Amino acid sequence: MSHELTVVLVDADNTLWDTDAVFREAQLLVLARIEVAMGRTCATADRLAFIRSYDQALAQNHHLHLRYPAQLLVRSVEAGLAGIAPEVAARDIVAGRTLTSGPLVPADVEAIVSDYMQALTCTPRLLSGVDEGIRAAKDAGLRLFVMTEGRIKKQKHILELHGLLGSFEGVWEMTKERSQFDRIVGRFAGSRVVVIGDQPDRDIVPAKAAGCLTVLVPSRFEPSWQTASDRSVVDHVATDFLDAVRWCIDTDFTKASVVS
């Protein structure tokens, strides 16, 4: 089966590599540092769930979404250890209101943020099936591109470290909105465009609305704002990246529409 008319847009974080694991270790480091500074211990058994509840609340309240300033996470978790709920902490901290008069002074916050940002520089490991999936895609003649909301320089660096940069025809930093996918579909008029990603709301829903075929490789971390309806529109749910590529190869695209 020929696939020269198939363009595959691949998400990077948590689709090609395990960004979640890097954030997990960095966030737990932040929590531990704040606990020491405050002389308090998180009472919740699931420490990761505790700090991520504040992270997600901030993302939902801040106009930069998940790119909110890291200082806000430190202040939010500080409030959380003082007994303030995630939604309240996020709303007030984003609005610039001080919630506690605890021991964390600005220098403490900056030191914790510095350690957090350093921890996030760790190179994430490739996820299951990525090496094999990329080889299979290239052998089948699929045209591969990376689409990312992360910083393009960093994503290219990670691809290069894993020896994968040359496997992709391009790496694009883009806001994953329908309008952006519409532009990509227009660019590849006459080809089938398939999107592979891990987040239904960011990767799948806007791509599907633009007329792309979609494959979900579910992330271990599912944000609280994901809904069942977001996931329901996907064309295929894959077990890993290799399974996603095999679906692209094995699907009878003669029965699928070509973007005109």
Side-chain angles (χ1 to χ4, degrees):
M1 183 183 297
S2 175
H3 291 279
E4 67 273 7
L5 291 180
T6 303
V7 172
V8 182
L9 309 180
V10 183
D11 174 54
D13 292 311
N14 296 315
T15 300
L16 292 176
W17 48 73
D18 195 358
T19 308
D20 178 66
V22 175
F23 271 89
R24 178 173 64 247
E25 296 306 313
Q27 289 170 339
L28 289 173
L29 171 65
V30 167
L31 177 56
R33 290 287 307 276
I34 298 172
E35 287 175 321
V36 170
M38 294 184 67
R40 297 188 181 189
T41 301
C42 173
T44 305
D46 191 338
R47 295 169 58 79
L48 183 63
F50 173 81
I51 189 168
R52 284 190 167 172
S53 66
Y54 289 87
D55 168 57
Q56 292 177 71
L58 284 168
Q60 288 180 289
N61 279 271
H62 200 279
H63 71 282
L64 293 178
H65 197 49
L66 287 168
R67 288 186 175 182
Y68 66 81
Q71 289 86 348
L72 302 187
L73 179 62
V74 176
R75 287 301 188 189
S76 185
V77 174
E78 177 189 20
L81 290 175
I84 299 174
E87 295 76 15
V88 176
R91 183 188 64 238
D92 288 356
I93 287 171
V94 168
R97 291 188 283 272
T98 302
L99 300 183
T100 70
S101 56
L104 288 187
V105 298
D108 295 326
V109 174
E110 292 304 316
I112 295 171
V113 167
S114 178
D115 288 345
Y116 177 57
M117 300 307 293
Q118 180 61 38
L120 291 179
T121 64
C122 291
T123 301
R125 65 175 180 83
L126 291 181
L127 288 166
S128 171
V130 170
D131 275 327
E132 302 92 332
I134 290 175
R135 285 197 297 270
K138 300 303 288 183
D139 289 344
L142 301 177
R143 299 183 63 190
L144 297 178
F145 296 83
V146 169
M147 56 172 192
T148 176
E149 290 186 302
R151 302 302 183 191
I152 190 170
K153 183 177 180 180
K154 179 180 179 180
Q155 307 296 54
K156 283 185 173 181
H157 179 62
I158 296 173
L159 285 168
E160 189 170 27
L161 288 175
H162 287 298
L164 298 177
L165 186 58
S167 298
F168 294 89
E169 294 186 35
V171 181
W172 305 327
E173 181 178 339
M174 57 181 275
T175 302
K176 294 175 181 175
E177 298 174 343
R178 177 176 176 173
S179 60
Q180 294 292 341
F181 286 106
D182 282 336
R183 292 188 184 95
I184 293 171
V185 165
R187 172 177 175 173
F188 294 108
S191 297
R192 304 170 189 89
V193 180
V194 183
V195 171
I196 301 176
D198 72 296
Q199 294 297 323
D201 64 325
R202 307 297 292 177
D203 301 314
I204 303 303
V205 172
K208 190 68 178 176
C212 304
L213 294 164
T214 56
V215 183
L216 178 69
V217 184
S219 173
R220 287 180 300 174
F221 171 58
E222 186 172 308
S224 59
W225 52 80
Q226 300 281 12
T227 67
S229 62
D230 290 337
R231 190 171 176 138
S232 67
V233 301
V234 70
D235 293 293
H236 177 65
V237 178
T239 56
D240 61 12
F241 187 76
L242 177 58
D243 180 40
V245 170
R246 282 175 173 163
W247 181 86
C248 294
I249 295 171
D250 295 341
T251 296
D252 184 359
F253 285 129
T254 62
K255 297 179 180 178
S257 61
V258 175
V259 178
S260 59

